[in-house]
Amino acid sequence: MEVIDDKDAMRQWSRKQHHEGRTVALVPTMGYLHEGHLSLVRLAATLADVVAVSVYVNPSQFAPHEDLLSYPRDLPRDLALLKDLPVAAVFAPTDLYLRPLYAPPDQRHAVAEPPAAPAPGAAEGGVGGHETWVTVERLQRPLCGGGRPVFFRGVATVVVKLLHIVEPDVAVFGKKDYQQWRLIHRMVRDLDMAVQVVGAPLLREADGLAMSSRNVRLTAQHRQQALSISRALLAAKAAAEAAERGAGEGQEDVADAGAIVEQVRREIEGAGGRVEYVQLVEQESLEPLARVTQPAVLAVAAHFGAVRLIDNVEIQVPQ
């Protein structure tokens, strides 16, 4: 397993694989890996000849008040977890941006600028910092986009950078970040990028909590309280799917979006969580639904203590 920190060296590695007739899969991560990430690697290994994993905490998707500096990082730990998996290369750059990061005029207050060394070779870029951004106009607005106005601009931009550097044939993303997966899929389609974007199922801990690198920051009390998220989501999913199948007398109102959202919100808040949003949306467009009459996603963002958690369930209905 090669560990590469230079973008030109990473590109050369990938091109060598292609020159020798091998396909490449990329698993982008922000590190502090858990079993959810490792499952993406295993899936990627079934989709291409060689797998590359990127480990990079992307500063451009964090606002100044968010947890960039406290986001968990441990590259030696990550490499130890990856060494026994079918991973041919790990791309772990120090920084992918020329500093400073220039945001649009109305969003300059929202750009995180952590103390960081300039990227290797930064002088080659000439005068000025990074000022080119990628936006997916409609899909970046709902759900997490409502409270994090620069988040998906940062996500889309860094993913484009990674895809240009690694030049993979396949890129694998987890559906825990459901909106991110849909947004990247749309971006790749719209920009005619020659990469297949694959979404992998969300994985949960044994107690039901969605796997996340941020879980390590939960106190024991907050972790127990946070189980209310998955408990509420899974109960709502079961009830909504049963209602649409017409299972049981008096269940018709269960498929009403307002009732579903309110029930999930009540359970999370009752457990001590601060709800950022609970929304029921169509799976591809992420447009709000009034009733569960088509495939839907019930998505949540909630805070327990200082930790922001997201989770979702896909709701399938007969067509």
Side-chain angles (χ1 to χ4, degrees):
M1 183 177 77
E2 296 185 50
V3 180
I4 303 168
D5 62 9
D6 177 74
K7 62 185 178 182
D8 292 326
M10 186 67 235
R11 185 179 289 113
Q12 290 168 10
W13 179 92
S14 186
R15 289 182 177 179
K16 182 175 184 289
Q17 306 306 313
H18 286 134
H19 179 73
E20 295 175 355
R22 290 184 284 271
T23 55
V24 176
L26 172 65
V27 180
T29 81
M30 293 214 302
Y32 212 81
L33 305 180
H34 51 68
E35 180 56 34
H37 296 114
L38 305 186
S39 73
L40 303 183
V41 172
R42 296 186 191 101
L43 174 59
T46 70
L47 301 173
D49 298 318
V50 293
V51 176
V53 175
S54 64
V55 177
Y56 180 62
V57 179
N58 174 38
S60 71
Q61 68 192 59
F62 291 83
H65 66 280
E66 293 177 341
D67 59 347
L68 173 61
L69 297 181
S70 62
Y71 194 89
R73 297 166 172 84
D74 191 339
L75 183 59
R77 171 186 173 277
D78 293 338
L79 296 178
L81 289 171
L82 293 172
K83 69 180 178 61
D84 294 326
L85 293 178
V87 177
V90 175
F91 180 43
T94 301
D95 200 348
L96 289 177
Y97 297 89
L98 303 178
R99 300 309 177 105
L101 304 184
Y102 292 113
D106 62 338
Q107 295 178 350
R108 284 179 184 158
H109 67 285
V111 176
E113 275 284 9
E124 300 171 7
V127 177
H130 182 96
E131 59 179 298
T132 303
W133 303 101
V134 179
T135 60
V136 182
E137 294 296 337
R138 187 173 53 81
L139 287 180
Q140 70 181 2
R141 295 174 185 168
L143 302 176
C144 289
R148 306 184 73 187
V150 301
F151 175 68
F152 285 115
R153 184 203 67 192
V155 167
T157 300
V158 81
V159 170
V160 167
K161 290 170 77 69
L162 290 170
L163 295 180
H164 280 312
I165 292 167
V166 182
E167 298 179 343
D169 302 280
V170 181
V172 181
F173 296 85
K175 288 188 183 180
K176 183 182 78 70
D177 300 288
Y178 195 91
Q179 184 177 12
Q180 172 180 279
W181 166 59
R182 284 297 190 189
L183 178 140
I184 291 168
H185 192 278
R186 184 66 53 84
M187 175 189 75
V188 164
R189 184 204 71 177
D190 289 353
L191 298 182
D192 299 307
M193 303 179 76
V195 58
Q196 177 189 3
V197 175
V198 175
L202 177 155
L203 290 190
R204 299 186 180 279
E205 305 284 359
D207 58 10
L209 188 67
M211 290 185 179
S212 169
S213 299
R214 288 185 169 95
N215 290 351
V216 70
R217 296 179 51 220
L218 290 166
T219 66
Q221 178 184 0
H222 288 148
R223 183 188 172 93
Q224 197 62 33
Q225 293 171 333
L227 298 180
S228 60
I229 300 176
S230 58
R231 188 166 58 241
L233 286 175
L234 294 171
K237 170 182 168 68
E241 290 178 346
E244 283 303 312
R245 289 194 302 267
E249 185 178 351
Q251 290 190 341
E252 183 177 356
D253 288 344
V254 178
D256 175 75
I260 293 171
V261 165
E262 183 56 30
Q263 179 59 36
V264 171
R265 179 182 293 275
R266 278 201 305 266
E267 177 142 3
I268 296 171
E269 290 178 342
R274 177 170 62 85
V275 173
E276 183 177 314
Y277 68 75
V278 180
Q279 293 187 36
L280 184 75
V281 298
E282 194 273 330
Q283 287 186 3
E284 186 169 347
S285 69
L286 306 185
E287 292 289 336
L289 295 175
R291 290 185 61 80
V292 186
T293 57
Q294 56 188 301
V297 175
L298 181 57
V300 166
H303 300 252
F304 286 86
V307 182
R308 180 182 186 271
L309 300 174
I310 61 172
D311 200 345
N312 70 81
V313 290
E314 294 178 291
I315 299 175
Q316 309 298 344
V317 298
Q319 296 293 294

